[in-house]
Amino acid sequence: MLPAIKLMSIRSSSKRLAQIFARSTSSFSRRHFNVLAIETSADDTCAAVVNSSREILSNVVIKQNDVHKGYGGIHALLAIHEHMRNMPFAVKRALTEAGLDPVRDIDGVAFTRGPGMAGCLAVGCNAAKTLGLSLDKPLVGVHHMQGHALTSILTSKDPPKYPFLTLLISGGHTLLLLATSNTRFKILATTDDGAIGRCIDRVARSLGLEWGSLGPGAALEKFVNEDPNPDISDIPPIPKVTPGRLFFSFGGYHSWMELFLKAEGGIETFDISRKRRLARAFQSAVFGHLEEKVLLGLKWCADRDIHVQDLVVSGGVASNQYLRERLRQCLDSSAPSQAIRLVFPPPHLCTDNAAMIGWAAMHRFLAGDHDTYDILPRSKWSIEDILEA
């Protein structure tokens, strides 16, 4: 528990910020509301400035792929150290590229509160608090997946209309949600054995692919695309997992790959052509898994007379162009009369970024609703519980 004098200081600061915010409301109506945002939920150090007119004034992402590739995944302690090293430079670049004076032009500070890696979240939380208090700005902590879900409203000329389905697919999460407002989401499907991005990353490593600066998932996509139409008839069919159930599971796909490679004598016995055919077969199978669950989600909505016109897809895996093509073909062939619109953010905004965090906080800032400075990160946080945080 915080000492009483510290609590009094925090509450006094929060009250003073509320008074400043209230006095300044009239000036916000005469110009854009500018939010400085920070995202550190995993291994990317991100800072951005967005405004209430849906403009991204800057978007800085400092990646750590070169730091972690020798460990086969994110090394938690190194990620924290890199965030601490990179954060000042990311914030400075975001403000410089936006061309804004932080004291005069920034109206609020947002950060990723959770879910994510606890130590990484703490770096962003502390940076946001320090900036907010030193600049006398209100503070908002944002749910990471809410940021992904609302990105298309920021980036689309014709934003999706509520209610819409949103498929959030990344290295840490796989969720199919029904969004009925910017704060209300119902989980239709999730996974408890690892996200699709994690599965893809593990298979990329099993295939011995070089990451370079891309990361394992992007390396797998690039490897497959070097021959976009390989004949995969010599690869045994990969069994479907949880067919007919509104539930994601990717552990079986990775297990099948490991068993197949072992039975074939290891990846060393594969020439590059056969390795590429295997990668294509795997990618096709896991994307087919996503397609089936999307169709089940649409049926779930239709059975309850919930009229959905848009499917929003975001998260790092959503940057895969083959997946984008597959989902469009799936919707067109399975429900040609339903006319479901498929909405993606630009690929560079599918992966983790701070612009989505600033935008997800915007409605709270404009309503005069913000967090106190004793707020703490939440490494485990269901998107259904945003309003209860």
Side-chain angles (χ1 to χ4, degrees), residues 51 111 131 136 168 182 209 226 243 260 289 340 359-360 383:
N51 68 28
F111 71 99
L131 285 164
D136 278 336
L168 305 181
N182 53 17
L209 302 183
E226 288 170 359
F260 179 73
H289 187 71
I340 301 296
W359 178 250
I383 195 170

Side-chain angles (χ1 to χ4, degrees), residues 156-377:
S156 301
K157 291 182 179 179
D158 182 15
K161 307 294 191 302
Y162 296 110
F164 60 78
L165 278 188
T166 180
L167 178 65
L168 305 181
I169 41 178
S170 68
H173 303 274
T174 304
L175 291 166
L176 181 64
L177 307 172
L178 175 65
T180 53
S181 77
N182 53 17
T183 57
R184 295 189 180 277
F185 302 89
K186 179 175 179 57
I187 299 174
L188 303 187
T190 186
T191 174
D192 60 7
D193 67 352
I196 182 173
R198 182 169 179 265
C199 177
I200 291 173
D201 290 352
R202 293 172 71 186
V203 168
R205 289 191 290 271
S206 297
L207 293 174
L209 302 183
E210 291 292 332
W211 292 22
S213 60
L214 298 174
L220 180 69
E221 179 184 7
K222 180 176 182 294
F223 179 67
V224 169
N225 288 346
E226 288 170 359
D227 183 358
N229 297 299
D231 179 7
I232 62 173
S233 59
D234 64 328
I235 305 298
I238 301 177
K240 293 184 177 180
V241 179
T242 65
R245 295 175 54 200
L246 196 47
F247 183 81
F248 294 108
S249 178
F250 298 97
Y253 293 102
H254 177 255
S255 296
W256 182 93
M257 179 67 73
E258 292 292 302
L259 291 171
F260 179 73
L261 289 175
K262 183 178 180 180
E264 295 292 309
I267 194 62
E268 299 80 8
T269 66
F270 285 61
D271 61 27
I272 191 167
S273 177
R274 192 177 184 215
K275 184 190 293 187
R276 187 172 288 116
R277 294 196 299 274
L278 180 59
R280 165 67 80 167
F282 162 77
Q283 184 176 249
S284 180
V286 292
F287 289 168
H289 187 71
L290 293 179
E291 292 171 353
E292 186 210 7
K293 307 313 175 186
V294 165
L295 294 179
L296 288 173
L298 288 170
K299 182 179 184 302
W300 186 94
C301 292
D303 289 345
R304 290 156 180 80
D305 293 325
I306 300 172
H307 185 52
V308 170
Q309 293 181 296
D310 297 302
L311 171 63
V312 173
V313 188
S314 191
V317 180
S319 61
N320 187 295
Q321 294 299 316
Y322 175 61
L323 172 63
R324 293 178 175 222
E325 295 168 6
R326 283 279 301 263
L327 284 174
R328 183 67 272 164
Q329 294 169 4
C330 171
L331 293 175
D332 289 345
S333 61
S334 301
S337 61
Q338 202 168 348
I340 301 296
R341 190 168 61 125
L342 191 55
V343 185
F344 291 93
H348 73 282
L349 293 177
C350 286
T351 53
D352 289 350
N353 65 88
M356 70 179 189
I357 300 303
W359 178 250
M362 190 67 70
H363 69 280
R364 289 189 59 191
F365 282 123
L366 296 180
D369 172 28
H370 50 86
D371 292 309
T372 60
Y373 274 78
D374 55 355
I375 186 175
L376 296 174

Side-chain angles (χ1 to χ4, degrees), residues 33 40 47 52 56 73 91 105 138 141 177 213 272 321 343 355 376 378:
F33 190 102
T40 59
S52 52
I56 301 174
V91 171
D105 300 323
L177 307 172
S213 60
I272 191 167
Q321 294 299 316
V343 185
L376 296 174
R378 296 187 61 176

